[in-house]
């Protein structure tokens, strides 16, 4: 392979590279996400350097897509780096973890001071913090960028959440704005904050996605198994819902999935899929981090657990074989519930639970931002999630507005618009959970979200009793409602109250 900096465009593997020019951006990793991102850059008129550990993949990309734009393929990392304009900018799109570390090490060695390495994978934000530190020590810049939107988003316009130094954003921003999704002409990308801020936000985005998918799943399950509505009709219902408050990509694809007929059997496609949901880990990371930050993300947590429970196939089978007692179950008919009003109640319960999940996700982002001094602007996130990404939805505009009106909003649920919405949803939400319980149908996120909501509203919580118990067995002390200070009661002695 020739070195393009010395003899640009002369490589036999580069029939479509732009002669006499260096690349504005490079992409390492020519699996689906990487090659689609490279094609996206090229489609916007940029010359794109491409490299993959196994050269066959690079050759295959050139063969299939080389004519789409100006690519400079390389078969060594040194050639790849030499084919980039300075400051060099290279996006890594390889597996998260050790593969990403390996590629970073190669790039750092081959690059010079001031060059920028961008990790576009789903890296854990603490890895990103570490990597930025290590790369900075070698005089290069490191940007951990969350990229959402899957294969299609990478190709046609993703939502991009870059962290890293402000200086890198100034160089990189225009390029990322070019390839990002646009909503009302506004690119779905913004500088999120320093070091790991971008990957942190992408992580919580994915956590919210888990909850969003689960609440849609719960709505589907109720309509199917409580109201007995067939998949074809459900597809129509979800299509209708997609024209209202719930307008979103996930509702739209739900209708598509429900409408699909299995090609092999002619049955509804939904009925031939094993009901065990997979996960790659970002939902779990979101919950683990929330536990450390002390932020209740019950919706995301229940969604992660629901996937885990669904996948515990042997245990589920044992429970069915063991005939766990269900008690006396009702039906919609026996409860005298009208089908159409139930459908509308379920829509409202879904909307309310979704609001809670988003409110909790934003709480985690705000807490993370504070913990790491990232100064994340939550309204900007809602703005860049309106397009490109999996949780894109119309109602994100409302979240942006909520934070524009009050950047210090204690909870999204307290925004006047959402409060008004909740007033119209809460009765239906309660009814749906009561009915689901009476019918023995699981609604983990619907139910836990309502409990969270009621906890938030409650004047008194049972935490007072917990403090009493903690003081009793462990002298953990408590505070009083009527005076300052910390107290302990001598439970094993005369039960006098002592000042601490
Ligand atoms: P996707 O999900 O987009 O299909 P992935 O599985 O996340 O991709 O990542 C696969 C990419 O990581 C491939 O480009 C792979 O390179 P090879 O084609 O040579 O296998 C790349 N990759 C994995 N481990 C790597 C490593 N240690 N060094 C460099 N690249 C690596």
């Amino acid at each position: 392979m020739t070195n393009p900096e010395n003899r640009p465009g002369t490589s036999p593997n580069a029939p479509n590279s732009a002669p006499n020019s260096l690349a504005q951006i490079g992409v390492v990793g020519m699996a689906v996400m990487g090659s689609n991102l490279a094609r996206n850059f090229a489609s916007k008129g940029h010359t794109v350097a491409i490299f993959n550990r196994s050269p066959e993949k690079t050759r295959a990309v050139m063969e299939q897509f080389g004519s789409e734009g100006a690519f400079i393929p390389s078969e060594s990392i040194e050639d790849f780096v030499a084919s980039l304009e300075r400051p060099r900018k290279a996006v890594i799109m390889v597996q998260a973890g050790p593969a990403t570390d390996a590629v970073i090490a190669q790039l750092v060695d081959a690059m010079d001071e001031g060059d920028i390495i961008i990790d576009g994978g789903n890296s854990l934000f603490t890895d990103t913090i570490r990597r930025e530190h290590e790369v900075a020590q070698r005089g290069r810049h490191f940007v951990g960028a969350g990229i959402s939107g899957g294969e299609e988003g990478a190709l046609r316009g993703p939502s991009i959440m870059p962290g890293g130094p402000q200086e890198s954003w100034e160089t990189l921003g225009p390029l990322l704005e070019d390839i990002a999704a646009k909503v009302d002409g506004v690119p779905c990308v913004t500088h999120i904050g320093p070091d790991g801020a971008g990957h942190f936000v992408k992580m919580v985005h994915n956590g919210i996605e888990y909850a969003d998918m689960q609440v849609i799943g719960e709505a589907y399950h109720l309509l199917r198994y409580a109201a007995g509505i067939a998949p074809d009709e459900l597809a129509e219902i979800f299509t209708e819902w997609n024209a209202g408050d719930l307008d979103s990509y996930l509702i739209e694809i739900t209708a598509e999935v429900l409408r699909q007929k299995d090609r092999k059997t002619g049955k509804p496609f939904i009925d031939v899929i094993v009901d065990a949901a997979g996960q790659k880990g970002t939902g779990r990371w979101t919950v683990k981090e929330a536990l450390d930050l002390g932020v209740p993300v019950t919706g995301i947590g229940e969604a992660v657990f629901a996937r885990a429970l669904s996948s515990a196939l042997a245990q589920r089978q044992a429970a069915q074989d063991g005939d766990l007692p269900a008690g006396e179950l009702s039906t919609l008919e026996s409860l005298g519930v009208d089908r159409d009003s139930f459908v509308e109640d379920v829509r409202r319960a879904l909307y309310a639970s979704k609001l809670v999940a988003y409110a909790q996700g934003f709480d985690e982002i705000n807490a993370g931002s504070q913990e790491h001094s990232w100064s994340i602007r939550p309204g900007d996130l809602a703005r860049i999630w309106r397009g490109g990404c999996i949780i894109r939805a119309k109602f994100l505009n409302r979240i942006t507005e909520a934070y524009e009106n009050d950047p210090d909003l204690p909870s999204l649920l307290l925004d006047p618009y959402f409060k008004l919405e909740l007033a119209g949803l809460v009765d239906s939400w309660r009814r749906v959970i009561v009915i689901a319980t009476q019918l023995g149908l699981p609604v983990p996120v619907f139910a836990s979200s309502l409990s969270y909501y009621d906890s938030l509203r409650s004047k008194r919580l049972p935490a007072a009793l917990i403090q009493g118990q903690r003081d009793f067995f462990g002298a953990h002390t408590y505070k009083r409602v009527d005076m300052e200070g910390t107290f302990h009661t001598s439970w094993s002695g005369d039960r006098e109250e002592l000042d601490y």
Side-chain angles (χ1 to χ4, degrees), residues 29-34 52-54 57 93-95 99 102-103 280:
M30 285 295 112
V32 183
M33 286 293 287
N52 192 72
R53 180 181 59 176
S54 326
K57 270 200 190 124
M93 296 297 287
V94 305
Q95 267 158 4
V103 175
K280 281 196 167 173

